[in-house]
Amino acid sequence: MDDVTLAHPLVDAVGPGFVVSETDAAVVSLSSARTGLVLETRAADAAFVLLTPSSSRVTPAMLAMLRRTSSAWVVREGDRYRAAGSAEVTDDVATAMLAPQDSPRSTRLGADEVPWVEVVAAVHHPATEQAAIGRTAELLLAGLADTAPTGWGTVEPATLAWDVGAVTDFARGRAPRPTRLVAVAPLEGGVASVQIRVERSATGVTEETRLALPRSGSRPDGSGGTTRLDRDGSGGAVRLDRHAPAPVDGPVVAVLGDLARRQRVLLATAWRSGGHPDGTLAARQRGMPVPLGAVVGAAAVRDLGVDPATLPDGASVVGPARVPSLLLDFAPSELGLTGGAEVEARWRRLAVLGTALGPRATSLLGFGDAR
């Protein structure tokens, strides 16, 4: 395969079937120029490679763009190379970008990382003037962190003042084309990041909101353990060592239930993960997210043929009685579990509920994919 020919100021190298754009920025965001290059590279039927120092971090929106376009993030390790998220160090970029990546079932945080809550929520809006794009993000942020979006845009930084009416008008003006937006919200000691995708459906509009929420005040402690959220759900944090009780992730499940009562949720899932307080992600290998809770919307409940009365502990009915949704809580029934035991218990609860929902539930719910 011949080297790619692509004229763009951010192109630093080319190879057979791929284009390399190198930056030494501490944080790589989804800028307008970088977005353009990724899309041009894809249009040329080539692979895009972002090359950075190993200390660089990316925003969730930038990482989502890389994944969505089958692009690669490669970091320098001395005079060698490693794909972000891989442990394999190679001699050249071409080999590194194809290195296999694993997601170990571990929640250990890096030295400068804090616990995150990540939520992915898809809601349906009828095709009426009352549709309010961005309201889902407002409800999630208000319930989980007592904050609200301050800026939005199509690229980063999100410099437009947040306004649901303006966001809605923008998405409506682009219809029937899909719209992707980013937004930010301030937190004590950090920043929450939001991604919104809006698409037409057969009966209206589907809005998917992805929220990455660093936990306020939660930081790794000096002993190698991690900070844990307090057990009363107030959202504060206490410093504990690696043998401390497992974290309680605030009011996550309750907020999901409230969302299901206020909006027509198709599907919502919430996970515990980790990242930098400013809402960015390092190039290190990331563990699998830990399941916290989910909402299975009324349409999915109907399609699965589920009788809510037959489901095991952890499942409850939420929303209108005529068209009920299901609220799933993956918290362990055993009290006092810590570390890996708490994580494994959550996965067991998820497996039990997934089995009870039927063989189609796992693929329908997308369990394991919080990104």
Side-chain angles (χ1 to χ4, degrees):
M1 183 180 293
D2 295 335
D3 288 353
V4 179
T5 301
L6 194 63
H8 193 286
L10 293 185
V11 172
D12 293 290
V14 296
F18 66 90
V19 169
V20 178
S21 178
E22 183 170 8
T23 177
D24 59 0
V27 172
V28 183
S29 61
L30 188 66
S31 68
S32 177
R34 194 165 286 114
T35 299
L37 175 56
V38 174
L39 296 179
E40 284 184 38
T41 304
R42 185 178 183 185
D45 198 25
F48 174 81
V49 180
L50 174 67
L51 180 61
T52 73
S54 59
S55 58
S56 292
R57 304 189 305 273
V58 301
T59 63
M62 184 67 217
L63 187 59
M65 168 65 91
L66 293 175
R67 289 174 169 168
R68 190 165 64 246
T69 57
S70 299
S71 301
W73 177 19
V74 175
V75 300
R76 291 187 178 274
E77 296 284 2
D79 59 354
R80 304 185 74 197
Y81 304 90
R82 174 177 62 83
S86 173
E88 183 177 330
V89 179
T90 68
D91 292 327
D92 56 77
V93 170
T95 304
M97 62 186 283
L98 300 175
Q101 300 189 30
D102 296 317
S103 294
R105 190 168 291 185
S106 168
T107 57
R108 183 173 296 278
L109 302 178
D112 61 350
E113 293 182 330
V114 299
W116 281 14
V117 168
E118 295 191 63
V119 180
V120 183
V123 304
H124 171 77
H125 300 286
T128 67
E129 291 297 320
Q130 285 68 46
I133 304 302
R135 183 59 178 151
T136 303
E138 290 185 336
L139 292 171
L140 291 173
L141 285 164
L144 292 172
D146 193 25
T147 189
T150 55
W152 71 282
T154 57
V155 294
E156 295 173 317
T159 57
L160 299 174
W162 176 262
D163 179 83
V164 166
V167 172
T168 304
D169 288 345
F170 181 81
R172 183 177 289 124
R174 285 180 49 81
R177 294 172 296 168
T179 295
R180 292 183 183 272
L181 304 171
V182 294
V184 293
L187 302 171
E188 181 183 354
V191 179
S193 105
V194 179
Q195 299 173 64
I196 299 173
R197 178 169 59 89
V198 184
E199 290 186 338
R200 279 278 186 91
S201 68
T203 57
V205 174
T206 299
E207 176 188 9
E208 181 188 81
T209 301
R210 289 178 174 258
L211 169 65
L213 179 70
R215 297 306 295 182
S216 176
S218 300
R219 299 182 182 278
D221 65 24
S223 66
T226 59
T227 347
R228 302 301 192 185
L229 297 181
D230 60 9
R231 300 194 67 84
D232 65 10
S234 65
V238 291
R239 292 188 180 277
L240 299 170
D241 65 21
R242 70 186 67 188
H243 303 296
V248 170
D249 298 275
V252 174
V253 174
V255 169
L256 290 181
D258 184 63
L259 186 70
R261 284 184 285 269
R262 291 170 176 261
Q263 296 194 311
R264 293 180 62 178
V265 174
L266 301 173
L267 176 69
T269 56
W271 310 81
R272 183 196 309 145
S273 62
H276 200 268
D278 67 0
T280 60
L281 297 161
R284 74 185 191 89
Q285 192 174 45
R286 299 190 73 198
M288 290 182 67
V290 180
L292 301 178
V295 171
V296 182
V301 172
R302 180 196 62 219
D303 291 346
L304 289 170
V306 174
D307 179 1
T310 66
L311 295 177
D313 291 344
S316 58
V317 173
V318 64
R322 185 176 60 85
V323 283
S325 297
L326 288 177
L327 179 64
L328 307 182
D329 186 350
F330 303 131
S333 56
E334 306 93 327
L335 297 177
L337 294 181
T338 65
E342 186 257 355
V343 171
E344 290 300 325
R346 284 185 174 275
W347 280 104
R348 285 196 300 271
R349 172 62 67 87
L350 183 153
V352 168
L353 288 169
T355 299
L357 287 172
R360 292 181 54 235
T362 299
S363 59
L364 175 68
L365 297 176
F367 286 148
D369 179 18
R371 311 292 191 267

